Amino acid sequence: MSIVQVSLPGALRPFAAGQALLEVGSGTLAEILLALGQAHPQLLPRLLGPDGSLRPYVNVFLGADNVRELGGLTTQIPPGSTITILPAVAGG
Amino acid sequence: MVTRLLVGTDKGLFRLQRPGHGQPWHIEGPLLPGQSVLALARHPLQHRAWLAAARHPVWGAHLYASDDDGGKWRSLDAVPLHPEHRHASRFESVWGLTWSADGSRLYAGIDPAGLFVSEDGGASWQDLPGLNDHPSRVQWQPARHLFAAHSLCIHPAHPDWLIVAISSGGAYRSLDGGRTWHPANAGVRAGHLPEPYPQVGHNVHRIVMHGTSGRLYRQCYTGTYRSDDWGQSWREITEGLPGDFGYAVAVDPGNPDRVFQVPESSADLRIVVDARLRVFRSEDGGSSWTSASSGLPQAHAYVTVLREALDTAAGSPCSVWLGTATGHLFGSDDGGERWSQLASFLPRILCLRTIPA
């Protein structure tokens, strides 16, 4: 199975037709996010900044691991896995 | 009579409505919850259509559109971006939105300082390199919390005449639709620079235009100014105000000589002078000023009124509206003679606009 599941936080679901869980083909995290962006154009600019890097307060987890501790956007996401997008604890 | 307001705050947008004069205001919101709403612009022809510039600490800055006077909002796909690798950052947020009178062009001033134009209502954006890559850009520098272009005005009789403020970098004007730009700071002090009257580098807090005459008023880091020649020269009109610092200035849409300003204390403190929330009004284009503050707190008011948080609406007399960075909202239906408090505990108010009937 070459599918990866992507779990979205509530704040991003309006930009993905209300869906909490999306399915895309496996690949690197960058490829997966770009695929999400093709299906939901307003999702991608909320995840990546204008320079194409992951926004500083956006965390993406592969299982329990933050991808920043793995390979960042180059992290290979295995088929059948789930990645979880969550906002970092920030603000006031 | 103004019956509806849009109020942009640090935690979202609020829409206020009253059924009639003297009636309590109903507060709706927060719309765009959790977002800092930095600027609002109403379409000049499609009168229920608005744009909002918003920024979220996690999800970034985006533009939103409403077709129902701010009740429902949808995100636009695009934002104006500097070309890759041109500046330290391509885009932080939009700080100003201005429509041309015929609705054919939409301008956005952004942080890092740059001006962009859209001819499709914000679906796509074009760089204005005559300003964004101006040779004097090396003399621009970030002001506190921002480095942005804002306060774009378009002359009512000459649609190719533009003027924009850079914080900090000074004002620049164009007479050819934005192709070429020239400093427009003659007669303006710059208290934060060693040269008293430099050509560029001023920290401009706000420029507003009287909508039919094209007269300009300008509030700077040091001083309040007026220009009757589209920014070619400025006359300081600070005398009569209790200080030369401030952010907010607004002009009566029906009278270019009637102008309102909220004096702030020193640049170090940045609250209203003497902790009294006062609006100063001039009836003679800034030659003289009087306080028009009845009903506003006159003791222990440690507040500030930010650049986009003072607005006027046409009327006889005009109405005046202000919001503070402490979330207090005030209005006057009689040109500043008497003020009443509309709301007390909103988040930090960043901008406000009246919704025309």
Side-chain angles (χ1 to χ4, degrees):
Chain A
M1 185 175 66
S2 61
I3 296 298
V4 167
Q5 291 196 316
V6 181
S7 171
L8 294 181
L12 291 184
R13 292 173 196 166
F15 307 105
Q19 300 175 85
L21 203 60
L22 303 175
E23 291 191 341
V24 293
S26 62
T28 64
L29 178 59
E31 290 166 345
I32 286 171
L33 296 183
L34 288 174
L36 289 182
Q38 284 192 330
H40 306 287
Q42 294 178 347
L43 199 53
L44 192 61
R46 286 167 170 79
L47 302 174
L48 303 182
D51 62 352
S53 65
L54 203 58
R55 288 191 179 277
Y57 295 115
V58 172
N59 284 333
V60 180
F61 295 90
L62 173 59
D65 297 324
N66 190 323
V67 297
R68 286 195 172 85
E69 309 302 323
L70 304 174
L73 289 174
T74 64
T75 304
Q76 194 71 38
I77 310 297
S81 57
T82 297
I83 60 175
T84 305
I85 299 174
L86 288 172
V89 179
Chain B
M1 182 185 71
V2 169
T3 59
R4 291 186 299 166
L5 298 170
L6 287 176
V7 180
T9 79
D10 219 13
K11 299 287 185 184
L13 181 74
F14 294 83
R15 188 165 67 166
L16 283 85
Q17 186 162 346
R18 62 176 167 179
H21 187 71
Q23 300 288 311
W25 290 79
H26 170 72
I27 302 175
E28 178 187 0
L31 308 155
L32 300 172
Q35 309 221 35
S36 297
V37 179
L38 298 164
L40 293 161
R42 176 173 171 259
H43 194 283
L45 305 177
Q46 301 161 25
H47 285 171
R48 299 193 71 201
W50 289 79
L51 288 173
R55 181 180 63 198
H56 189 277
V58 175
W59 313 120
H62 303 279
L63 293 171
Y64 292 82
S66 170
D67 296 319
D68 64 352
D69 277 335
K72 292 178 183 168
W73 294 87
R74 66 180 189 282
S75 176
L76 300 186
D77 290 348
V79 292
L81 297 169
H82 285 293
E84 261 187 298
H85 309 305
R86 186 73 58 87
H87 307 298
S89 161
R90 295 187 70 189
F91 174 68
E92 296 294 327
S93 52
V94 170
W95 275 83
L97 290 166
T98 304
W99 284 101
S100 62
D102 64 0
S104 66
R105 286 172 292 159
L106 171 65
Y107 293 90
I110 77 164
D111 179 348
L115 186 64
F116 295 78
V117 64
S118 173
E119 294 181 347
D120 51 18
S124 64
W125 294 93
Q126 289 82 49
D127 185 24
L128 290 175
L131 178 72
N132 300 348
D133 298 327
H134 196 277
S136 63
R137 187 182 179 100
V138 294
Q139 297 173 67
W140 303 357
Q141 57 181 318
R144 185 189 283 193
H145 302 310
L146 87 157
F147 176 40
H150 60 84
S151 298
L152 180 88
C153 300
I154 305 171
H155 195 285
H158 305 283
D160 283 342
W161 292 13
L162 313 176
I163 190 163
V164 70
I166 307 289
S167 293
S168 61
Y172 287 75
R173 67 177 195 155
S174 171
L175 303 179
D176 57 13
R179 194 176 64 81
T180 62
W181 294 82
H182 304 280
N185 304 296
V188 180
R189 292 184 289 132
H192 65 297
L193 295 174
E195 191 181 338
Y197 289 92
Q199 193 180 24
V200 299
H202 306 70
N203 190 9
V204 193
H205 286 168
R206 186 79 172 131
I207 296 175
V208 295
M209 180 186 76
H210 179 254
T212 52
S213 67
R215 177 186 288 174
L216 300 170
Y217 291 98
R218 165 176 177 159
Q219 179 61 47
C220 269
Y221 185 83
T222 40
T224 309
Y225 303 83
R226 162 185 159 182
S227 175
D228 293 320
D229 56 10
W230 199 246
Q232 184 172 3
S233 64
W234 296 87
R235 177 165 75 88
E236 183 159 6
I237 55 172
T238 310
E239 190 176 341
L241 293 169
D244 67 357
F245 193 86
Y247 295 106
V249 62
V251 60
D252 179 348
N255 180 356
D257 285 333
R258 183 177 294 126
V259 58
F260 301 88
Q261 195 262 6
V262 181
E264 306 262 346
S265 62
S266 69
D268 291 329
L269 193 54
R270 301 186 187 215
I271 57 171
V272 291
V273 175
D274 298 329
R276 301 167 65 191
L277 178 52
R278 285 177 292 176
V279 173
F280 276 73
R281 182 181 62 204
S282 175
E283 302 283 352
D284 52 15
S287 296
S288 64
W289 297 91
T290 56
S291 175
S293 311
S294 177
L296 296 174
Q298 295 302 298
H300 297 294
Y302 305 102
V303 305
T304 188
V305 177
L306 298 174
R307 74 190 76 223
E308 295 267 0
L310 176 69
D311 195 21
T312 54
S316 188
C318 69
S319 62
V320 197
W321 310 87
L322 72 83
T324 71
T326 47
H328 296 81
L329 185 64
F330 296 92
S332 168
D333 285 310
D334 54 9
E337 285 300 303
R338 287 170 303 160
W339 292 83
S340 58
Q341 192 165 341
L342 283 57
S344 308
F345 297 104
L346 295 177
R348 177 181 175 88
I349 294 173
L350 306 175
C351 62
L352 69 82
R353 291 289 180 271
T354 60
I355 303 175

